[in-house]
Structure formats: structure tokens, C-alpha cells
Amino acid sequence: MADERYSDTTTTTNGAAPAGHTTTIIERRGGGGGVAIALVLLVAVVIGAFFLFSQNGAESRKDDAVASAARSVGAAADKAGDAISGEEK
């Protein structure tokens, strides 16, 4: 976004015609910094989301493995209990 300022100065001496005329124009250009900051924040959010979802998937796989092992142990305990009591399924 450009910030422009225009200044016009006219100097007169004792009601005579202007002795000097000065014009000053100052232009400032900016606004690219805001876009760069937004882009960096967007990249940081995407990377954070990626790691969050990756960790969540690993946690789910671990929970599934523990549940599967618990079912296996439970089935083995049932078989051992049936063998001890003399029952067959």
C-alpha cells in the first residue's frame, strides 16, 4: 500500500510575486511484510497439523496393538481354564 504526501510551499516577499517555489513529494511503499508473515504462519499451522495427525495415528495403532494382545491373552486364559476344568469347546 502506498503512502503519499504532497506538500506545496510558496514564499512571497512584501506582496511581490513569489520568490521561490518548493514542491516535496514523499512516497512510501510497503505491505509485503504482512503477506510474508501470513504465509509463514500458514506454513507453521500446516506443519503443526501434520505432526498432530501423525502422532494421533501412531497412538491409534498402539492402542489397537494393545487391544489385540489383550484379546489373545484372554483367549489363551479361557483355553487354559477349560483345560483345567476338563471342558472342551
Side-chain angles (χ1 to χ4, degrees):
M1 182 188 313
D3 179 22
E4 297 182 14
R5 182 176 59 178
Y6 177 77
S7 175
D8 190 7
T9 306
T10 303
T11 307
T12 60
T13 308
N14 298 332
H21 183 82
T22 304
T23 301
T24 305
I25 299 174
I26 300 174
E27 291 186 27
R28 293 185 192 137
R29 301 206 182 261
V35 173
I37 290 172
L39 186 62
V40 167
L41 287 175
L42 179 66
V43 168
V45 167
V46 168
I47 290 172
F50 174 76
F51 282 117
L52 179 67
F53 289 125
S54 291
Q55 185 179 15
N56 191 19
E59 193 72 27
S60 294
R61 287 189 298 273
K62 184 177 82 171
D63 291 346
D64 291 343
V66 169
S68 176
R71 281 191 295 273
S72 296
V73 169
D78 286 342
K79 286 181 182 179
D82 291 343
I84 291 171
S85 65
E87 297 177 18
E88 282 192 36
K89 287 188 178 182

